[in-house]
Amino acid sequence: MLGPTFETTRLILRPPGPQDFEPWAAMMADPEAARFIGGAVDRALAWRGMTLMAGAWITRGFSNFSLIEKASGRWIGRAGPWQPEGWPGTEIGWALDRSAWGQGYATEAAARCVAWAFEDLGWREVIHVIHPENLASIAVAERLGSHRSGTTSLPPPHSGASRELYGQRRN
């Protein structure tokens, strides 16, 4: 494994592995599930996205975790630290398969990731970069204790995209 594995009440958070590709690709092909994370993509681009996340574990020492539902053992999404070159800050993000929406999994996973970022990665601040129409993710950010701090522009390949910026400090 490239990074740690964590357990919450209902989830296992672990670095992504090859066994995650099929559900990852299915989520990324779903126009509704991928709406606020760059839009639906084909299998080739989904593979590139998953391996990009896996590679970040090597180059940055952190990245998104695969979220595994304990009760069923199924992959339900991803969440975790993210900070590619030019990103507006140290982000904790999330994306879930539609079958897992509305059950509190995003909040549960993101809360564990925020704790890890503050306690083990030594981050002083976390941000959440959220599409202004993504009301569900705004609600998750607020449940985590984050507050809106303005808007931000994203770096390439998302140049020109404006997003809401939510965040909180370690203290």
Side-chain angles (χ1 to χ4, degrees):
M1 283 291 179
L2 299 172
T5 296
F6 299 117
E7 290 194 30
T8 66
T9 303
R10 301 177 297 157
L11 299 171
I12 297 169
L13 287 72
R14 60 161 173 72
Q19 69 274 26
D20 302 330
F21 178 65
E22 291 303 327
W24 186 299
M27 180 184 78
M28 293 308 301
D30 179 342
E32 189 63 22
R35 178 178 174 203
F36 297 122
I37 54 173
V41 298
D42 64 19
R43 289 177 61 80
L45 286 177
W47 181 83
R48 285 178 180 88
M50 190 180 96
T51 58
L52 174 76
M53 294 280 179
W57 279 103
I58 295 167
T59 59
R60 301 293 302 212
F62 58 83
S63 186
N64 275 210
F65 295 92
S66 280
L67 307 180
I68 310 303
E69 184 181 54
K70 281 184 182 179
S72 67
R74 74 184 174 104
W75 185 96
I76 61 166
R78 59 181 169 84
W82 188 238
Q83 191 185 23
E85 180 64 27
W87 210 245
T90 47
E91 181 176 21
I92 299 293
W94 50 86
L96 275 72
D97 182 80
R98 259 200 294 175
S99 67
W101 288 4
Q103 299 175 52
Y105 288 128
T107 303
E108 186 174 330
R112 182 62 186 99
C113 292
V114 167
W116 183 58
F118 286 153
E119 294 165 10
D120 295 309
L121 298 179
W123 289 7
R124 293 190 171 116
E125 176 183 45
V126 296
I127 63 165
H128 316 291
V129 178
I130 303 174
H131 190 287
E133 295 175 15
N134 191 344
L135 302 180
S137 281
I138 290 170
V140 169
E142 290 173 343
R143 280 193 293 276
L144 293 171
S146 291
H147 303 281
R148 186 179 181 281
S149 61
T151 59
T152 189
S153 294
L154 298 181
H158 309 287
S159 297
S162 179
R163 297 291 184 260
E164 300 292 318
L165 197 58
Y166 283 75
Q168 60 181 289
R169 296 200 181 282
R170 183 177 184 158
N171 57 3

